[in-house]
């Protein structure tokens, strides 16, 4: 049964106008500061870009215009919800707006603030027919949201109105005017029950819907313009849901993927675990980097709580072959020798020039076939994913991207594609990005473009102990600065040294812990503990080098090694 509550998307009528004014003042100053920070990311991208002056200026200007439109529209909805005097106009959010909140009175209690934020969010979603990642990041920075209530109201508008009527009946049953009032509410409810679906399809019942809901909102202390907008949002709920959750579109996900099969033979979007019955206002997409079995498409991501979490399945056969090759390499004495030499030498280039031929032979078997093949497929899969994201295949709601190893490369390629598109097409699409052990350069220009695109957190998880990635990336791409091995020097890219990951094959079993240490949203601690016990410890045992059967390999490496 859905959790309904029309009252939870309306501002508390108990709040005084002074308290509402305080909320708006905080909202204005914090939004101005947020807008300025996001504009700074665009400025950094501009300064680092290698594009022509005309091209990068155009991107910067378009981004600024799109961001300012979003911010002003959100501010307008806050102005309405906070019940500012009808004769006044919503102030403009210009670049010189005050961002200081230290002099302002304290905000109302959290439960009251949540209802105000819910109302702002409901108005914003139903007016724009989308949920911007910037809106989600900003509103969550102010206080808690009850997104489940909003989903329930949008998906079950008639039930939400009925519950509001019952609340009204309970409140007024002892009043002398009870009979007359309930007749009024009953008329409005009949109009809603019979007219919601007709109203959103252009039928003549739409005005009755608005009138009925407005009557009930009046019982909750809501009137004027904001009541009309809330009523309109409820009446158009099915259209809003269609846009938000991707129910209405020119093509299904499968058909959109199918046209790319010339480049990518195996690509699909797979649900992870139990999905929320009614959907959520955001979606999480996870991408694995290699597969010990096809189950690894989704299995590493079972650490997340119930919600819309999906996994990208891509090139299962190639990733399985890569997994076999990686484990084969790790089980030999080759990587033990490389690790020892890296520790002994301060310059990695010295190791590359002095590796024994037998070690190069084993590494070359990985570089020239499974790794190079999978890496090339990752670049193609990333381009496809970028195209799918640009087409809003998951609906018009925020998307969080998470991956490890070549899965992170897929994500970064998708983001690079999105960063190349007009900013008006991509603003507010991506909320957070968490990538680990990524075989990509720390190139500042690339990361600055991605940072501008991401509304929330951009986390680069790396391990300086990942000797497999060190050899494979640097030898195959002649890239000395690898994001999976060291920090990225771009403002507001969160670099996290996962020193507990002491090998590239450890990322899969420790991805839960890696997300946990950065407080990634939705991670369930008990499932992380289970993952570590089940996967990581098994992997460590599997990685232990067995002396029996490797003595000959070890002797060949030492015999053939060049002296320092």
């Amino acid at each position: 049964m859905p959790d309904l509550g029309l009252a939870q998307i309306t501002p508390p009528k108990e709040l005084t106008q002074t308290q509402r004014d305080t909320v708006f003042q905080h909202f204005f100053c914090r939004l101005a500061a947020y807008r300025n920070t996001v504009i700074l990311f665009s400025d950094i991208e501009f300064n680092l870009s290698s594009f022509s002056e005309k091209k990068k200026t155009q991107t910067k200007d378009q981004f600024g215009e799109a961001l300012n439109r979003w911010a002003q529209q959100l501010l307008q909805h806050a102005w309405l919800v906070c019940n500012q005097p009808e004769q006044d106009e919503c102030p403009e959010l210009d670049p010189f707006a005050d961002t200081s909140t230290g002099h302002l009175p304290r905000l109302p209690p959290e439960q009251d603030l949540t209802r105000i934020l819910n109302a702002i969010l409901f108005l914003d979603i139903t007016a724009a027919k989308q949920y911007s990642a910037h809106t989600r990041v900003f509103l969550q920075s102010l206080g808690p949201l009850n997104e489940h209530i909003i989903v329930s109201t949008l998906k079950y508008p008639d039930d939400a109105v009925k519950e509001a009527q019952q609340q009204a009946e309970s409140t007024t049953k002892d009043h002398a005017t009870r009979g007359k009032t309930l007749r009024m509410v009953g008329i409005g409810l009949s109009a809603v029950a019979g007219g919601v679906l007709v109203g959103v399809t252009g039928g003549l019942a739409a005005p009755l819907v608005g009138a009925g809901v407005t009557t009930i909102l009046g019982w909750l202390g809501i009137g004027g313009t904001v009541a009309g907008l809330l009523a309109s949002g409820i009446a158009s709920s099915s259209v809003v849901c269609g846009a938000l959750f991707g129910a209405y579109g020119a093509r299904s996900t499968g058909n959109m993927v199918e046209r790319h099969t010339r480049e990518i033979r195996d690509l699909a979007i797979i649900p992870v675990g139990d999905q929320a019955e009614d959907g959520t206002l955001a979606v999480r997409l996870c991408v694995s980097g290699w597969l010990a079995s096809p189950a690894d498409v989704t299995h590493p991501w079972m650490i997340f709580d119930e919600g819309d979490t999906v996994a990208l399945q891509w090139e299962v056969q190639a990733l399985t072959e890569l997994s076999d090759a990686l484990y084969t390499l790790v089980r030999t004495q080759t990587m033990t020798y490389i690790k020892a030499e890296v520790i002994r030498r301060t310059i990695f280039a010295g190791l590359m020039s002095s590796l024994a031929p037998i070690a190069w032979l084993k590494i070359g078997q990985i570089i020239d076939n499974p790794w190079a093949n999978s890496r090339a497929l990752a670049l193609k899969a990333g381009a496809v994913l970028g195209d799918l994201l640009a087409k809003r295949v998951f609906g018009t709601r925020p998307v969080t991207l998470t991956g490890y190893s070549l899965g992170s490369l897929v994500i970064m390629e998708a983001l690079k594609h999105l960063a190349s598109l007009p900013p008006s097409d991509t603003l507010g699409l991506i909320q957070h990005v968490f990538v680990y052990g990524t075989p990509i350069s720390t190139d500042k220009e690339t990361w600055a473009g991605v940072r501008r695109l991401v509304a929330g957190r951009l986390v680069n998880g790396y391990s300086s102990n990942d000797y497999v990635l060190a050899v494979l990336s640097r030898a195959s791409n002649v890239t000395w600065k690898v994001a999976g091995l060291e920090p990225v020097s771009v403002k507001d890219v969160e670099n996290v040294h996962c020193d507990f990951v002491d090998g590239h094959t450890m990322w899969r079993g420790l991805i839960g812990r890696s997300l946990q240490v950065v407080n990634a949203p939705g991670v369930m601690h008990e499932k992380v503990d289970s993952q570590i016990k089940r996967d990581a410890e098994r992997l460590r045992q599997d990685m232990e080098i067995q002396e029996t059967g490797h003595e000959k390999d070890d002797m060949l490496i030492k015999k053939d090694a060049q002296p320092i």
Side-chain angles (χ1 to χ4, degrees):
M1 182 69 181
D3 183 14
L4 302 168
L6 193 59
Q8 295 302 312
I9 63 167
T10 59
K13 61 182 178 180
E14 297 81 11
L15 289 183
T16 66
Q17 187 56 53
T18 299
Q19 289 175 305
R20 294 169 186 252
D21 290 342
T22 296
V23 172
F24 182 80
Q25 290 166 5
H26 277 271
F27 194 98
F28 180 91
C29 294
R30 296 277 292 274
L31 184 57
Y34 179 87
R35 192 276 314 273
N36 292 347
T37 298
V38 177
I39 285 292
L40 179 60
F41 297 149
S42 179
D43 292 340
I44 293 172
E45 179 190 31
F46 177 87
N47 293 330
L48 294 173
S49 176
S50 60
F51 287 114
S52 67
E53 196 74 17
K54 179 180 179 181
K55 169 67 174 175
K56 62 184 187 179
T57 298
Q58 182 183 42
T59 299
K60 178 183 176 181
D61 291 346
Q62 289 179 351
F63 180 78
E65 291 170 3
L67 184 69
N68 286 331
R69 279 196 304 271
W70 161 79
Q72 193 61 42
Q73 289 170 0
L74 186 64
L75 187 67
Q76 179 68 41
H77 293 136
W79 175 264
L80 292 170
V81 168
C82 291
N83 196 26
Q84 297 295 319
E86 295 287 344
Q87 65 271 21
D88 292 342
E89 293 184 358
C90 178
E92 291 290 327
L93 198 68
D94 61 63
F96 304 103
D98 187 10
T99 61
S100 173
T101 58
H103 64 287
L104 297 177
R106 295 181 62 181
L107 287 165
E110 184 177 281
Q111 64 270 22
D112 293 336
L113 179 60
T114 294
R115 287 182 58 179
I116 291 177
L117 296 178
N118 288 345
I120 295 170
L121 178 57
F122 187 82
L123 289 185
D124 196 67
I125 288 177
T126 54
K129 306 296 186 292
Q130 67 176 6
Y131 187 8
S132 170
H134 284 293
T135 300
R136 194 174 200 230
V137 170
F138 173 68
L139 291 183
Q140 287 181 340
S141 73
L142 294 178
L145 296 171
N146 191 335
E147 294 182 338
H148 184 64
I149 286 291
I150 293 173
V151 171
S152 296
T153 303
L154 288 171
K155 290 208 166 186
Y156 306 98
D158 49 344
D159 291 339
V161 174
K162 286 178 183 177
E163 184 182 31
Q165 181 194 27
Q166 292 171 358
Q167 292 175 356
E169 290 175 352
S170 176
T171 302
T172 61
K173 63 182 179 181
D174 294 328
H175 288 255
T177 58
R178 177 176 179 273
K180 178 180 177 182
T181 303
L182 291 182
R183 284 195 297 273
M184 290 175 61
V185 173
I187 292 172
L189 182 61
S190 299
V192 171
V196 166
L197 295 180
V198 178
V200 299
T201 55
L204 295 177
L208 295 178
V209 175
V213 177
T214 302
T215 300
I216 295 174
L217 288 172
W219 278 87
L220 300 175
I222 309 302
T225 304
V226 68
L229 290 174
L230 286 169
S232 176
I234 293 171
S236 63
S237 59
S238 56
V239 173
V240 175
C241 286
L244 277 177
F245 300 104
Y248 302 108
R251 296 185 173 189
S252 67
T253 302
N255 289 337
M256 293 180 69
V257 172
E258 186 177 354
R259 70 187 183 90
H260 293 282
T261 53
R262 292 182 180 179
E263 293 292 325
I264 299 294
R265 294 166 296 177
D266 176 15
L267 193 73
I269 295 170
I270 311 296
V272 175
D274 297 328
Q275 301 292 294
E277 181 181 354
D278 297 323
T280 58
L281 288 181
V283 62
R284 182 187 296 109
L285 175 66
C286 307
V287 191
S288 297
W290 67 84
L291 307 174
S293 72
D296 278 351
V297 171
T298 59
H299 202 261
W301 313 111
M302 300 294 288
I303 56 169
F304 290 111
D305 57 13
E306 181 180 293
D308 283 356
T309 300
V310 296
L312 183 71
Q313 173 183 298
W314 64 285
E315 298 294 352
V316 170
Q317 182 178 348
L319 294 182
T320 303
E321 292 174 356
L322 174 62
S323 175
D324 293 341
L326 287 174
Y327 286 119
T328 299
L329 177 63
V330 170
R331 290 190 187 104
T332 68
Q333 290 287 9
T334 303
M335 289 313 300
T336 301
Y337 171 72
I338 290 174
K339 183 174 182 178
E341 291 298 293
V342 169
I343 293 172
R344 290 172 59 192
R345 300 169 189 270
T346 57
I347 302 177
F348 191 82
L351 170 65
M352 304 302 282
S353 63
S354 65
L355 274 180
I358 187 67
W360 268 119
L361 177 61
K362 291 183 174 296
I363 296 169
Q365 291 172 352
I366 308 298
I367 295 172
D368 293 339
N369 195 357
W371 177 263
N373 181 42
S374 298
R375 186 180 184 281
L377 291 171
L379 298 177
K380 293 178 179 180
V384 176
L385 176 60
D387 192 35
L388 294 174
L389 289 170
K391 289 179 169 61
R392 308 277 179 163
V393 71
F394 300 108
T396 57
R397 51 183 174 157
V399 178
T400 290
L401 302 172
T402 304
Y404 64 87
S405 184
L406 289 177
S408 292
L409 180 59
V410 171
I411 289 172
M412 291 300 294
E413 282 298 307
L415 294 172
K416 285 166 64 177
H417 172 72
L418 292 175
S420 70
L421 300 177
S424 57
D425 295 342
T426 59
L427 184 76
L429 172 59
I430 305 299
Q431 182 175 358
H432 301 307
V433 172
F434 301 90
V435 288
Y436 294 89
T438 312
I440 192 174
S441 168
T442 59
D443 174 60
K444 292 184 179 181
E445 179 180 357
T446 298
W447 286 86
V450 171
R451 177 60 272 190
R452 186 259 299 168
L453 188 72
V454 179
R457 301 173 64 190
L458 174 55
V459 175
N460 171 49
Y462 69 95
S463 173
S464 59
N465 303 322
D466 192 344
Y467 303 106
V468 172
L469 180 62
V471 173
L472 292 178
S473 288
R474 288 164 171 167
S476 60
N477 306 327
V478 197
T479 300
W480 299 103
K481 296 287 187 178
V482 181
L485 299 171
E486 57 189 276
V488 174
S489 299
V490 171
K491 180 177 174 54
D492 265 28
V493 173
E494 298 180 44
N495 294 289
V496 180
H497 188 198
C498 302
D499 53 1
F500 48 85
V501 176
D502 55 10
H504 200 63
T505 50
M506 299 294 289
W507 283 116
R508 182 253 183 265
L510 291 172
I511 190 62
R513 183 178 175 188
S514 301
L515 289 162
Q516 188 179 54
V517 297
V518 299
N519 295 316
V523 174
M524 301 180 68
H525 300 307
E526 63 275 13
K527 290 192 175 183
V528 171
D529 294 340
S530 176
Q531 183 184 72
I532 292 173
K533 183 179 296 185
R534 182 181 60 251
D535 296 326
E537 292 183 5
R538 176 187 59 81
L539 186 57
R540 286 193 183 94
Q541 294 175 3
D542 197 39
M543 287 175 59
E544 288 179 358
I545 298 171
Q546 304 298 322
E547 294 296 333
T548 305
H550 294 303
E551 290 87 350
K552 182 179 179 180
D553 196 30
D554 190 26
M555 290 175 61
L556 285 171
I557 291 173
K558 293 179 179 178
K559 180 180 179 180
D560 205 23
Q562 298 179 15
I564 300 175

